[in-house]
Amino acid sequence: MDAYAHRLANALVGNLRNDATLEVTLVGPELECDDERVVAVTGAQFEVTVDDRPVPMNAAIVVAPRSRLKVG
């Protein structure tokens, strides 16, 4: 739905322009990574944490194995 945020997230993490992204509305997910991931949260302002520590939006974030990424 937010084409700009979709393209920005992919650009920040080095993906192709049309690679898949996850879009959330109102309340975001809590995700646990099995291995290291580079992610970006873009679009509407959310509180974003990794292992309960705040991380910035609109930036590439490295999430370590077994870490929890929470969005809003």
Side-chain angles (χ1 to χ4, degrees):
M1 291 172 46
D2 185 341
Y4 174 77
H6 168 80
R7 290 189 311 271
L8 176 59
N10 274 325
L12 287 168
V13 300
N15 287 347
L16 297 175
R17 178 182 179 116
N18 290 319
D19 281 353
T21 56
L22 176 66
E23 184 166 6
V24 299
T25 305
L26 301 177
V27 177
E30 180 175 333
L31 307 169
E32 183 175 340
C33 297
D34 291 334
D35 50 12
E36 184 173 279
R37 299 289 172 168
V38 179
V39 302
V41 179
T42 61
Q45 192 66 35
F46 279 98
E47 179 182 0
V48 182
T49 62
V50 172
D51 295 332
D52 297 319
R53 291 185 305 268
V55 295
M57 289 191 57
N58 301 312
I61 303 162
V62 177
V63 181
R66 292 175 299 287
S67 288
R68 291 187 170 270
L69 171 73
K70 293 181 190 176
V71 180

